[in-house]
mmCIF file of all heavy atoms in Angstrom:
data_model
loop_
_atom_site.group_PDB
_atom_site.id
_atom_site.type_symbol
_atom_site.label_atom_id
_atom_site.label_comp_id
_atom_site.label_asym_id
_atom_site.label_seq_id
_atom_site.Cartn_x
_atom_site.Cartn_y
_atom_site.Cartn_z
ATOM 1 N N GLU A 12 3.189 10.794 3.933
ATOM 2 C CA GLU A 12 2.443 10.872 5.193
ATOM 3 C C GLU A 12 2.622 9.554 5.937
ATOM 4 O O GLU A 12 2.366 8.491 5.383
ATOM 5 C CB GLU A 12 0.964 11.097 4.908
ATOM 6 C CG GLU A 12 0.091 11.179 6.147
ATOM 7 C CD GLU A 12 0.236 12.510 6.845
ATOM 8 O OE1 GLU A 12 0.432 13.517 6.164
ATOM 9 O OE2 GLU A 12 0.163 12.518 8.081
ATOM 10 N N LEU A 18 -6.270 -1.711 12.691
ATOM 11 C CA LEU A 18 -6.572 -2.931 13.434
ATOM 12 C C LEU A 18 -8.051 -3.257 13.280
ATOM 13 O O LEU A 18 -8.908 -2.640 13.918
ATOM 14 C CB LEU A 18 -6.215 -2.755 14.917
ATOM 15 C CG LEU A 18 -4.753 -2.415 15.210
ATOM 16 C CD1 LEU A 18 -4.553 -2.177 16.713
ATOM 17 C CD2 LEU A 18 -3.824 -3.523 14.717
ATOM 18 N N ASP A 56 -1.637 -6.891 30.957
ATOM 19 C CA ASP A 56 -0.198 -6.765 30.750
ATOM 20 C C ASP A 56 0.563 -7.989 31.233
ATOM 21 O O ASP A 56 0.161 -8.674 32.180
ATOM 22 C CB ASP A 56 0.323 -5.528 31.483
ATOM 23 C CG ASP A 56 1.681 -5.102 30.947
ATOM 24 O OD1 ASP A 56 1.838 -5.063 29.717
ATOM 25 O OD2 ASP A 56 2.579 -4.813 31.761
ATOM 26 N N SER A 65 6.611 5.556 28.566
ATOM 27 C CA SER A 65 6.728 5.418 27.116
ATOM 28 C C SER A 65 5.446 5.839 26.413
ATOM 29 O O SER A 65 5.480 6.575 25.421
ATOM 30 C CB SER A 65 7.061 3.962 26.765
ATOM 31 O OG SER A 65 7.004 3.750 25.373
ATOM 32 N N THR A 75 -5.275 10.994 25.844
ATOM 33 C CA THR A 75 -5.392 9.684 25.207
ATOM 34 C C THR A 75 -5.135 8.572 26.207
ATOM 35 O O THR A 75 -5.771 7.513 26.157
ATOM 36 C CB THR A 75 -4.393 9.567 24.041
ATOM 37 O OG1 THR A 75 -4.500 10.711 23.197
ATOM 38 C CG2 THR A 75 -4.667 8.315 23.221
ATOM 39 N N ALA A 87 1.255 -17.196 35.761
ATOM 40 C CA ALA A 87 0.347 -17.765 34.764
ATOM 41 C C ALA A 87 -1.097 -17.730 35.248
ATOM 42 O O ALA A 87 -2.014 -17.384 34.492
ATOM 43 C CB ALA A 87 0.767 -19.196 34.440
ATOM 44 N N HIS A 88 -1.325 -18.082 36.509
ATOM 45 C CA HIS A 88 -2.699 -18.135 37.015
ATOM 46 C C HIS A 88 -3.291 -16.739 37.157
ATOM 47 O O HIS A 88 -4.491 -16.537 36.901
ATOM 48 C CB HIS A 88 -2.735 -18.887 38.341
ATOM 49 C CG HIS A 88 -2.501 -20.367 38.184
ATOM 50 N ND1 HIS A 88 -3.478 -21.223 37.731
ATOM 51 C CD2 HIS A 88 -1.398 -21.119 38.403
ATOM 52 C CE1 HIS A 88 -2.995 -22.459 37.681
ATOM 53 N NE2 HIS A 88 -1.728 -22.418 38.078
ATOM 54 N N ARG A 95 -9.800 -14.346 31.870
ATOM 55 C CA ARG A 95 -11.154 -14.873 32.056
ATOM 56 C C ARG A 95 -12.154 -13.773 32.390
ATOM 57 O O ARG A 95 -13.363 -13.922 32.126
ATOM 58 C CB ARG A 95 -11.161 -15.914 33.178
ATOM 59 C CG ARG A 95 -10.601 -17.265 32.790
ATOM 60 C CD ARG A 95 -11.086 -18.334 33.728
ATOM 61 N NE ARG A 95 -10.907 -17.964 35.130
ATOM 62 C CZ ARG A 95 -11.425 -18.627 36.157
ATOM 63 N NH1 ARG A 95 -12.177 -19.686 35.933
ATOM 64 N NH2 ARG A 95 -11.195 -18.237 37.397
ATOM 65 N N GLN A 100 -15.277 -7.130 31.362
ATOM 66 C CA GLN A 100 -14.636 -5.816 31.324
ATOM 67 C C GLN A 100 -14.842 -5.096 29.997
ATOM 68 O O GLN A 100 -14.782 -3.871 29.932
ATOM 69 C CB GLN A 100 -13.123 -5.963 31.588
ATOM 70 C CG GLN A 100 -12.778 -6.612 32.913
ATOM 71 C CD GLN A 100 -13.362 -5.869 34.101
ATOM 72 O OE1 GLN A 100 -13.427 -4.647 34.095
ATOM 73 N NE2 GLN A 100 -13.782 -6.610 35.115
ATOM 74 N N ASP A 103 -19.514 -1.641 25.374
ATOM 75 C CA ASP A 103 -19.755 -0.976 24.087
ATOM 76 C C ASP A 103 -18.754 0.132 23.805
ATOM 77 O O ASP A 103 -18.583 0.537 22.647
ATOM 78 C CB ASP A 103 -21.176 -0.394 24.056
ATOM 79 C CG ASP A 103 -22.245 -1.477 24.037
ATOM 80 O OD1 ASP A 103 -21.907 -2.626 23.682
ATOM 81 O OD2 ASP A 103 -23.404 -1.172 24.380
ATOM 82 N N PHE A 116 3.994 -16.080 30.660
ATOM 83 C CA PHE A 116 3.852 -16.715 31.966
ATOM 84 C C PHE A 116 3.509 -18.195 31.870
ATOM 85 O O PHE A 116 3.846 -18.982 32.765
ATOM 86 C CB PHE A 116 2.800 -15.990 32.804
ATOM 87 C CG PHE A 116 3.202 -14.601 33.212
ATOM 88 C CD1 PHE A 116 2.369 -13.524 32.960
ATOM 89 C CD2 PHE A 116 4.412 -14.362 33.842
ATOM 90 C CE1 PHE A 116 2.733 -12.242 33.326
ATOM 91 C CE2 PHE A 116 4.787 -13.081 34.215
ATOM 92 C CZ PHE A 116 3.946 -12.019 33.951
ATOM 93 N N ARG A 118 4.722 -20.367 30.066
ATOM 94 C CA ARG A 118 5.939 -21.167 29.930
ATOM 95 C C ARG A 118 6.540 -21.523 31.291
ATOM 96 O O ARG A 118 7.361 -22.440 31.388
ATOM 97 C CB ARG A 118 6.990 -20.378 29.140
ATOM 98 C CG ARG A 118 6.592 -20.045 27.734
ATOM 99 C CD ARG A 118 7.604 -19.124 27.061
ATOM 100 N NE ARG A 118 7.225 -18.826 25.692
ATOM 101 C CZ ARG A 118 7.530 -19.592 24.660
ATOM 102 N NH1 ARG A 118 8.253 -20.677 24.832
ATOM 103 N NH2 ARG A 118 7.136 -19.274 23.442
ATOM 104 N N GLU A 121 4.856 -24.975 36.677
ATOM 105 C CA GLU A 121 5.636 -26.156 37.061
ATOM 106 C C GLU A 121 4.823 -27.197 37.823
ATOM 107 O O GLU A 121 5.373 -28.127 38.388
ATOM 108 C CB GLU A 121 6.826 -25.724 37.930
ATOM 109 C CG GLU A 121 7.789 -24.786 37.205
ATOM 110 C CD GLU A 121 8.930 -24.347 38.099
ATOM 111 O OE1 GLU A 121 8.870 -24.623 39.316
ATOM 112 O OE2 GLU A 121 9.878 -23.729 37.583
ATOM 113 N N LEU A 135 -6.371 -18.209 25.163
ATOM 114 C CA LEU A 135 -6.470 -17.814 23.760
ATOM 115 C C LEU A 135 -7.901 -17.954 23.249
ATOM 116 O O LEU A 135 -8.403 -17.095 22.512
ATOM 117 C CB LEU A 135 -5.505 -18.650 22.927
ATOM 118 C CG LEU A 135 -5.397 -18.329 21.445
ATOM 119 C CD1 LEU A 135 -5.049 -16.869 21.227
ATOM 120 C CD2 LEU A 135 -4.358 -19.235 20.792
ATOM 121 N N VAL A 147 -14.364 -6.452 18.175
ATOM 122 C CA VAL A 147 -13.244 -5.557 18.456
ATOM 123 C C VAL A 147 -11.934 -6.264 18.110
ATOM 124 O O VAL A 147 -11.860 -7.495 18.116
ATOM 125 C CB VAL A 147 -13.200 -5.120 19.944
ATOM 126 C CG1 VAL A 147 -14.440 -4.331 20.318
ATOM 127 C CG2 VAL A 147 -13.015 -6.328 20.862
ATOM 128 N N ARG A 153 3.856 -12.179 21.132
ATOM 129 C CA ARG A 153 4.379 -13.365 21.805
ATOM 130 C C ARG A 153 5.820 -13.109 22.224
ATOM 131 O O ARG A 153 6.553 -12.381 21.551
ATOM 132 C CB ARG A 153 4.293 -14.593 20.908
ATOM 133 C CG ARG A 153 4.810 -14.434 19.493
ATOM 134 C CD ARG A 153 4.625 -15.726 18.715
ATOM 135 N NE ARG A 153 4.864 -15.560 17.279
ATOM 136 C CZ ARG A 153 4.833 -16.563 16.412
ATOM 137 N NH1 ARG A 153 4.581 -17.796 16.842
ATOM 138 N NH2 ARG A 153 5.033 -16.341 15.120
ATOM 139 N N HIS A 156 9.326 -16.913 19.596
ATOM 140 C CA HIS A 156 8.831 -17.562 18.380
ATOM 141 C C HIS A 156 9.255 -19.031 18.408
ATOM 142 O O HIS A 156 10.399 -19.364 18.088
ATOM 143 C CB HIS A 156 9.407 -16.891 17.136
ATOM 144 C CG HIS A 156 8.954 -15.471 16.961
ATOM 145 N ND1 HIS A 156 8.516 -14.986 15.752
ATOM 146 C CD2 HIS A 156 8.858 -14.438 17.821
ATOM 147 C CE1 HIS A 156 8.187 -13.710 15.878
ATOM 148 N NE2 HIS A 156 8.389 -13.363 17.142
ATOM 149 N N SER A 160 4.424 -21.113 21.217
ATOM 150 C CA SER A 160 3.607 -19.942 20.899
ATOM 151 C C SER A 160 2.913 -20.048 19.545
ATOM 152 O O SER A 160 2.181 -19.140 19.148
ATOM 153 C CB SER A 160 4.475 -18.675 20.918
ATOM 154 O OG SER A 160 5.463 -18.723 19.909
ATOM 155 N N GLU A 161 3.097 -21.148 18.848
ATOM 156 C CA GLU A 161 2.492 -21.306 17.534
ATOM 157 C C GLU A 161 0.966 -21.203 17.553
ATOM 158 O O GLU A 161 0.372 -20.705 16.586
ATOM 159 C CB GLU A 161 2.919 -22.639 16.911
ATOM 160 C CG GLU A 161 2.483 -22.817 15.461
ATOM 161 C CD GLU A 161 2.990 -21.704 14.553
ATOM 162 O OE1 GLU A 161 4.074 -21.153 14.814
ATOM 163 O OE2 GLU A 161 2.276 -21.378 13.580
ATOM 164 N N ALA A 166 -4.210 -18.989 15.629
ATOM 165 C CA ALA A 166 -5.515 -18.426 15.981
ATOM 166 C C ALA A 166 -5.710 -17.007 15.451
ATOM 167 O O ALA A 166 -6.834 -16.510 15.406
ATOM 168 C CB ALA A 166 -5.694 -18.425 17.495
ATOM 169 N N PRO A 180 11.833 1.053 10.482
ATOM 170 C CA PRO A 180 10.836 0.017 10.742
ATOM 171 C C PRO A 180 9.824 -0.089 9.601
ATOM 172 O O PRO A 180 9.464 0.905 8.990
ATOM 173 C CB PRO A 180 10.147 0.494 12.021
ATOM 174 C CG PRO A 180 10.999 1.575 12.558
ATOM 175 C CD PRO A 180 11.727 2.174 11.418
ATOM 176 N N VAL A 183 4.299 -5.029 7.884
ATOM 177 C CA VAL A 183 3.807 -5.809 6.746
ATOM 178 C C VAL A 183 2.638 -6.653 7.236
ATOM 179 O O VAL A 183 2.767 -7.418 8.199
ATOM 180 C CB VAL A 183 4.896 -6.732 6.159
ATOM 181 C CG1 VAL A 183 4.333 -7.529 4.993
ATOM 182 C CG2 VAL A 183 6.102 -5.919 5.709
ATOM 183 N N ALA A 184 1.476 -6.506 6.594
ATOM 184 C CA ALA A 184 0.295 -7.298 6.927
ATOM 185 C C ALA A 184 -0.327 -7.793 5.634
ATOM 186 O O ALA A 184 0.230 -7.617 4.544
ATOM 187 C CB ALA A 184 -0.692 -6.458 7.737
ATOM 188 N N LEU A 190 5.881 2.024 3.781
ATOM 189 C CA LEU A 190 7.012 2.511 3.024
ATOM 190 C C LEU A 190 7.909 3.318 3.963
ATOM 191 O O LEU A 190 7.664 3.413 5.152
ATOM 192 C CB LEU A 190 6.536 3.358 1.843
ATOM 193 C CG LEU A 190 5.662 2.587 0.828
ATOM 194 C CD1 LEU A 190 5.335 3.477 -0.356
ATOM 195 C CD2 LEU A 190 6.357 1.315 0.357
ATOM 196 N N TYR A 192 9.733 6.163 6.084
ATOM 197 C CA TYR A 192 9.402 7.430 6.716
ATOM 198 C C TYR A 192 10.677 8.266 6.820
ATOM 199 O O TYR A 192 11.422 8.152 7.787
ATOM 200 C CB TYR A 192 8.860 7.218 8.132
ATOM 201 C CG TYR A 192 7.632 6.356 8.233
ATOM 202 C CD1 TYR A 192 7.487 5.467 9.290
ATOM 203 C CD2 TYR A 192 6.600 6.444 7.293
ATOM 204 C CE1 TYR A 192 6.357 4.691 9.413
ATOM 205 C CE2 TYR A 192 5.477 5.662 7.413
ATOM 206 C CZ TYR A 192 5.348 4.788 8.481
ATOM 207 O OH TYR A 192 4.236 4.008 8.608
ATOM 208 N N GLY A 197 17.155 13.554 6.099
ATOM 209 C CA GLY A 197 17.383 12.533 5.097
ATOM 210 C C GLY A 197 17.637 11.150 5.657
ATOM 211 O O GLY A 197 17.787 10.192 4.910
ATOM 212 N N GLY A 198 17.650 11.008 6.991
ATOM 213 C CA GLY A 198 17.869 9.710 7.606
ATOM 214 C C GLY A 198 16.563 9.112 8.101
ATOM 215 O O GLY A 198 15.479 9.547 7.713
ATOM 216 N N GLY A 231 -2.904 -6.408 38.993
ATOM 217 C CA GLY A 231 -3.627 -7.632 39.315
ATOM 218 C C GLY A 231 -5.129 -7.516 39.244
ATOM 219 O O GLY A 231 -5.835 -8.477 39.524
#
Side-chain angles (χ1 to χ4, degrees):
E12 179 76 34
L18 301 176
D56 198 45
S65 172
T75 310
H88 289 283
R95 283 201 310 169
Q100 302 302 324
D103 292 341
F116 292 127
R118 298 173 179 274
E121 299 178 351
L135 184 55
V147 297
R153 48 181 169 176
H156 295 226
S160 64
E161 188 57 31
V183 179
L190 298 185
Y192 302 142

